[in-house]
Amino acid sequence: MAKHLVLVAGNIGAGKTTLTERIGARLGWWTGYESVTDNPYLSDFYGDMHAWSFHLQVFFLGHRADQYLEASRDSRSAILDRSIYEDAHIFARALHHMGNLGERDYLAYRRLFEVVVNGLPRPDLLIYLKAPVPVLMDRIRKRARNMETGITPDYLSLLDSFYSEWLGAFDLCPVLTIQTGDLDFAHHPDHLDLVVQRIQDKLAGKEVMDLTQK
């Protein structure tokens, strides 16, 4: 079987980690996850975003680049929870937009980002998980992570607008959009079956419609 690199993208609470876990287990793929518990900057960042935004973004850049290279060395196909491209086009942009990442640091980060990504393997598929902001807020509240207590609907809406702009110009690989508001691939095997089939068909080069309903 051909080896593939698949990225899972989407707003906070869209279901990226759950889908990555389920696809990895179902298909036997190598899985990579966002560094949260072992991230040395997160607590400082949430205490003072203006002071620590640049440090956090540089850490994530290096962490994700290492993931891509590790995935490329593994003989299995790989699926990654969040893409390196979102760090720059969504989150660093949002920090800059909100005044937490100054112009000088933002431009320095973007230059470093371009150098790093130019040396990474191109993905074979980007899976974009999308859900309405009220659904995202409900999921965030239910999982009750301390670091997410300050997330607001306005912030999620801002990220959502950045996702739309980014994906409108994204051309590195095919994109499969999955509306997750009515999907529960964690508890309904038939929902996961449907997603897996769409992914496999997309990787095979077939014409596949975005998944907008159960």
Side-chain angles (χ1 to χ4, degrees), residues 15-207:
K16 298 178 299 299
T17 302
T18 300
L19 182 63
T20 300
E21 291 173 343
R22 296 304 189 277
I23 295 298
R26 171 70 69 88
L27 300 178
W29 287 4
W30 187 92
T31 53
Y33 299 97
E34 192 164 30
S35 176
V36 176
T37 57
D38 60 344
N39 189 314
Y41 290 105
L42 268 182
S43 60
D44 289 322
F45 170 75
Y46 284 110
D48 188 344
M49 291 187 180
H50 186 78
W52 292 98
S53 287
F54 181 76
H55 305 74
L56 181 70
Q57 290 304 125
V58 170
F59 173 82
F60 272 130
L61 182 61
H63 167 72
R64 293 199 209 283
D66 281 342
Q67 274 192 338
Y68 278 56
L69 295 175
E70 186 176 354
S72 70
R73 291 190 292 265
D74 197 282
S75 60
R76 295 167 292 175
S77 289
I79 184 166
L80 303 184
D81 171 14
R82 196 178 296 288
S83 73
I84 198 169
Y85 309 104
E86 290 163 273
D87 281 344
H89 295 283
I90 310 301
F91 293 96
R93 183 183 175 190
L95 289 169
H96 179 246
H97 176 84
M98 295 185 298
N100 289 318
L101 187 60
E103 184 74 8
R104 180 176 60 176
D105 287 344
Y106 180 61
L107 292 177
Y109 168 78
R110 287 301 301 256
R111 283 194 295 270
L112 179 59
F113 168 80
E114 295 296 339
V115 170
V116 170
V117 296
N118 284 338
L120 297 178
R122 291 169 68 97
D124 297 295
L125 177 65
L126 177 75
I127 303 170
Y128 174 48
L129 303 185
K130 186 173 175 59
V133 168
V135 173
L136 299 176
M137 286 298 302
D138 184 57
R139 292 174 180 171
I140 291 168
R141 281 191 292 266
K142 286 179 179 177
R143 68 190 187 190
R145 296 175 181 170
N146 289 334
M147 68 184 67
E148 295 179 342
T149 55
I151 293 175
T152 65
D154 286 344
Y155 178 63
L156 295 178
S157 295
L158 176 68
L159 297 183
D160 208 41
S161 69
F162 288 170
Y163 271 107
S164 295
E165 291 180 26
W166 170 56
L167 289 168
F170 185 82
D171 60 359
L172 288 175
C173 66
V175 177
L176 174 63
T177 299
I178 298 175
Q179 301 281 353
T180 67
D182 293 325
L183 284 174
D184 184 359
F185 29 72
H187 302 100
H188 292 275
D190 56 322
H191 292 188
L192 182 61
D193 291 343
L194 184 58
V195 172
V196 168
Q197 188 61 56
R198 293 290 174 93
I199 292 171
Q200 291 177 324
D201 287 346
K202 196 78 169 180
L203 288 171
K206 298 179 181 179
E207 289 293 328

